[in-house]
Amino acid sequence: MTNFLLETSDLAVVVGAGQGIGLGLVEKLLASQPRLTIVGTYRDPNRAQGLFDLKERYVERLVLQQADPCDETDVAELASLVGKQDKRLHLLINSVGYLHDDQRGPEKSLKDIDVEHLQKYFLVNAIVTPLLAKHFLGLFRHKDLSCFVSLSAKVGSITDNSLGGWYGYRASKSALNMFLKNISIELTRRGCKTIVLSIHPGTTKTELSKPFISKSTKLQLHEPIEAATNILSVIQGRAITDGGEFYSWNGEKLPW
Ligand SMILES: NC(=O)c1ccc[n+]([C@@H]2O[C@H](COP(=O)([O-])OP(=O)(O)OC[C@H]3O[C@@H](n4cnc5c(N)ncnc54)[C@H](OP(=O)(O)O)[C@@H]3O)[C@@H](O)[C@H]2O)c1
């Protein structure tokens, strides 16, 4: 097989499936890929009701695991659980991301720079991905084509940055892109037939984007399930030579 196909995939992992696009990805994969088993992670059961509802409908094919993706012990336990599924891992999508919390939002100017906040951006948006790659590498060492995907953001493109601002979010997504390029090179060198992709999901109506979407926005807005459909279309049919690249939700290549 020279192209990655969701239809022939056995096992997928969606990290950050408790809400937003990650939840949409689990829902779309369950509904469209009847042979696929999915492991979905969440942090807080109080924010993952949609995922628990899906578990009631897909008892056999959905495995849930509580895990904090920033905690290496949790990531190692997750990889161990996935390894015990007795199926080949064909797809991993990291849908974790951070833009604002109750107290803080993205920096508007240099006066807003705060060391602890920048560290949080880099931990959640960038460092989680190489941590996942470290612990899942062994599970991608098989003869089939597989995909390792992280959701990035167009604002992480250095070439595309004409507005400035959002220092931590932009820079951490740029760092994520560099991590993904490196992971792509290392997985290939280590004999994995894994296509590593950085994907911008498009502006999507989730908790992450809510404070920044005005009623008058000219941006094209997506529901999480639409974003999931678009992301899966970008993944579907990819060849190993498409790996180590940055794609937009409509399949166009984005500049780094
Ligand atoms: N929405 C957009 O318009 C948009 C645009 C461009 C890129 N993206 C990217 O798409 C991805 C998915 O975002 P989304 O829109 O679906 O956002 P979301 O609904 O807010 O979901 C964010 C995910 O990240 C997890 N997360 C947030 N803060 C975390 C932390 N401190 N530690 C560990 N996990 C944390 C959340 O876990 P909990 O549920 O446990 O909080 C959740 O699983 C992100 O990488 C985001 O940067 C989104």
Side-chain angles (χ1 to χ4, degrees), residues 21 99-100 106 166 202-224:
I21 300 170
L99 178 57
H100 63 92
W166 291 27
T203 307
T204 308
K205 295 183 205 165
T206 64
E207 287 301 314
L208 180 139
S209 61
K210 206 187 235 171
F212 309 97
I213 296 179
S214 68
K215 287 203 178 93
S216 58
T217 185
K218 291 195 178 96
L219 287 171
Q220 186 173 357
L221 296 179
H222 306 271
E223 295 297 334

Side-chain angles (χ1 to χ4, degrees), residues 16-22 42-44 47 68-70 94-98 120 124-125 151-154 169 173 200-209:
Q19 59 171 317
I21 300 170
Y42 64 95
R43 281 191 307 166
D44 180 352
R47 285 201 307 274
D68 179 350
C70 301
N94 173 21
S95 187
V96 166
Y98 166 74
K120 179 169 178 179
V124 180
N125 292 335
L151 298 190
S152 187
K154 196 175 173 186
Y169 188 72
K173 290 294 190 181
H200 164 62
T203 307
T204 308
K205 295 183 205 165
T206 64
E207 287 301 314
L208 180 139
S209 61

Side-chain angles (χ1 to χ4, degrees), residues 155-229:
V155 295
S157 164
I158 293 173
T159 308
D160 191 64
N161 183 2
S162 56
L163 292 175
W166 291 27
Y167 282 84
Y169 188 72
R170 281 184 189 275
S172 58
K173 290 294 190 181
S174 305
L176 166 67
N177 285 348
M178 179 59 93
F179 277 134
L180 285 163
K181 188 81 182 181
N182 255 27
I183 292 164
S184 175
I185 292 168
E186 181 164 350
L187 291 192
T188 308
R189 265 196 206 134
R190 285 174 176 260
C192 301
K193 289 165 75 181
T194 308
I195 305 157
V196 177
L197 304 172
S198 174
I199 300 182
H200 164 62
T203 307
T204 308
K205 295 183 205 165
T206 64
E207 287 301 314
L208 180 139
S209 61
K210 206 187 235 171
F212 309 97
I213 296 179
S214 68
K215 287 203 178 93
S216 58
T217 185
K218 291 195 178 96
L219 287 171
Q220 186 173 357
L221 296 179
H222 306 271
E223 295 297 334
I225 198 76
E226 282 176 61
T229 306

Side-chain angles (χ1 to χ4, degrees), residues 100-156:
H100 63 92
D101 57 26
D102 295 343
Q103 286 91 42
R104 297 167 299 192
E107 309 87 349
K108 290 195 174 123
S109 80
L110 286 169
K111 72 175 168 35
D112 302 324
I113 289 292
D114 173 83
V115 171
E116 192 264 332
H117 200 204
L118 283 177
Q119 285 170 339
K120 179 169 178 179
Y121 276 119
F122 276 80
L123 177 61
V124 180
N125 292 335
I127 294 169
V128 164
T129 289
L131 204 55
L132 289 165
K134 174 182 170 184
H135 288 277
F136 280 82
L137 170 72
L139 299 176
F140 282 115
R141 273 214 187 102
H142 53 68
K143 65 175 179 52
D144 302 346
L145 263 189
S146 54
C147 259
F148 180 99
V149 179
S150 228
L151 298 190
S152 187
K154 196 175 173 186
V155 295

